[in-house]
Amino acid sequence: MAERPGDRLLLDAAIEQARKSLAEGGIPIGAALGTPDGKVVAAGHNLRVQQGDPTAHAETACIRAAGRRRDYPDLVMATTLSPCAMCSGTAVLYRIGRVVIGENETFQGREDWLTAEGIETVVMNDDTCKQLMRDFIAAHPGLWNEDIGV
């Protein structure tokens, strides 16, 4: 899928969330949910370390912040990193219409599942997202491996 104008705005909001997580001592992954034109409805960042909760990934934190809604299929989820099976499952469950992925070189999540379920998926290959993860993994390889279940 091709990038749309609102994608960049939502990804920038997700990057801001990733930096917030890093500043809190967490894993620098962020997510933002918004309208196709880039208006942010909710945002969240990985809180797994901060809260000691293995399910507190950025995408699930973002969905929790969004709360109960009926318009999920009309919204776009931007995430700084390819979503894992749990986070992809959340997008599938709520039928989020489009998922924008900052990068998938560091970690290849379940983009195949998103696509198979008819969710528009675009990978932006964003250099900022890649650098955030490269720097974090170099500094905290054990924490990263714990996060991805290695």
Side-chain angles (χ1 to χ4, degrees), residues 2-66:
E3 182 179 338
R4 296 181 184 162
D7 294 350
R8 181 79 251 169
L9 296 171
L10 292 172
L11 185 59
D12 287 345
I15 290 169
E16 182 179 319
Q17 288 292 310
R19 289 182 172 137
K20 183 176 180 182
S21 183
L22 185 62
E24 294 171 355
I27 298 167
I29 303 170
L33 184 71
T35 60
D37 64 354
K39 180 183 175 198
V40 176
V41 170
H45 58 278
N46 190 298
L47 293 164
R48 199 180 63 74
V49 173
Q50 299 92 311
Q51 295 181 353
D53 178 354
T55 67
H57 288 199
E59 299 87 348
T60 56
C62 183
I63 293 293
R64 286 179 186 134

Side-chain angles (χ1 to χ4, degrees), residues 91-143:
V92 168
L93 177 66
Y94 291 103
R95 299 180 329 276
I96 293 171
R98 182 174 171 86
V99 175
V100 174
I101 299 165
E103 69 105 344
N104 63 1
E105 291 177 14
T106 302
F107 177 79
Q108 178 68 58
R110 292 301 313 273
E111 296 164 36
D112 60 330
W113 187 11
L114 297 173
T115 302
E117 291 295 326
I119 296 172
E120 292 180 36
T121 306
V122 60
V123 179
M124 294 186 55
N125 292 310
D126 184 83
D127 289 333
T128 300
C129 294
K130 291 176 191 178
Q131 194 62 52
L132 276 167
M133 292 311 301
R134 274 194 298 263
D135 293 347
F136 179 79
I137 292 167
H140 307 282
L143 187 55

Side-chain angles (χ1 to χ4, degrees), residues 73-90:
D74 300 325
L75 299 176
V76 177
M77 168 78 76
T79 180
T80 58
L81 185 65
S82 182
C84 71
M86 178 179 68
C87 296
S88 293
T90 301

